[in-house]
Amino acid sequence: MKSETHDPSRPDDMSVVVRRAALTLVCVALFAIFGLAAPYKIYKHYKSQPDAASALTTLGRP
């Protein structure tokens, strides 16, 4: 007859599911922040600034 003993080195199934769900949530959140929001903010920042090269040629010549 085989008896089951608790193996402390092996996590139970529920904690594995919770860890995987948490990791997935963190990855999705990081992708949303750095994959979508950051490039859009950088684009908007540079779009709102005047073009330095055209400003120098326009202001530098009489």
Side-chain angles (χ1 to χ4, degrees):
M1 187 163 116
K2 190 176 186 183
S3 66
E4 289 189 28
T5 59
H6 180 67
D7 185 5
S9 65
R10 184 174 175 209
D12 64 350
D13 293 335
M14 191 59 182
S15 75
V16 171
V17 170
V18 169
R19 280 191 217 155
R20 285 183 183 166
L23 181 64
T24 302
L25 184 66
V26 167
C27 289
V28 167
L30 288 174
F31 175 75
I33 293 169
F34 295 110
L36 300 174
Y40 180 72
K41 286 184 179 183
I42 292 169
Y43 167 76
K44 292 293 278 185
H45 173 74
Y46 283 112
K47 188 176 179 184
S48 68
Q49 291 184 350
D51 187 12
S54 66
L56 285 177
T57 57
T58 310
L59 296 174
R61 302 204 183 255

